[in-house]
Amino acid sequence: MSVATAFAGMRSVAPVVFRAGCPDCRGRFELAASALRLAIGASSRTTFYTFTCPGCGAAVRKPAGERIVALLTGGGVRTLRLHSTV
């Protein structure tokens, strides 16, 4: 069986996009998973996601609760796990 035959019935998958807002310029926009970064820390205070505002260029950092973490990781956002140095 050729590769073309094996994948003949498959449809293309739409890329995942996330809605976001900038607290500086108040802009609302959609971002691809590649535009976001997620940092998972030991507590809710150290778990957040970041992106650069496409409107004004500001670096934005927002807290990420359990639901946001699940959505971002499921959507393919690059994740960094922070470790404590205790």
Side-chain angles (χ1 to χ4, degrees), residues 29-41:
F29 39 83
E30 291 184 341
L31 295 172
S34 61
L36 296 156
R37 297 292 177 265
L38 173 64
I40 300 176

Side-chain angles (χ1 to χ4, degrees), residues 1-83:
M1 177 185 294
S2 72
V3 172
T5 303
F7 292 102
M10 295 184 72
R11 293 181 279 157
S12 64
V13 177
V16 176
V17 292
F18 298 94
R19 290 187 198 150
C22 177
D24 289 349
C25 70
R26 303 273 187 222
R28 309 275 312 153
F29 39 83
E30 291 184 341
L31 295 172
S34 61
L36 296 156
R37 297 292 177 265
L38 173 64
I40 300 176
S43 71
S44 61
R45 294 180 65 172
T46 58
T47 300
F48 57 90
Y49 64 99
T50 63
F51 59 91
T52 300
C53 175
C56 69
V60 179
R61 176 178 164 161
K62 293 191 172 187
E66 289 181 27
R67 184 172 185 272
I68 298 295
V69 169
L71 290 170
L72 295 177
T73 55
V77 172
R78 192 178 311 178
T79 303
L80 171 67
R81 297 202 181 268
L82 306 174
H83 299 281

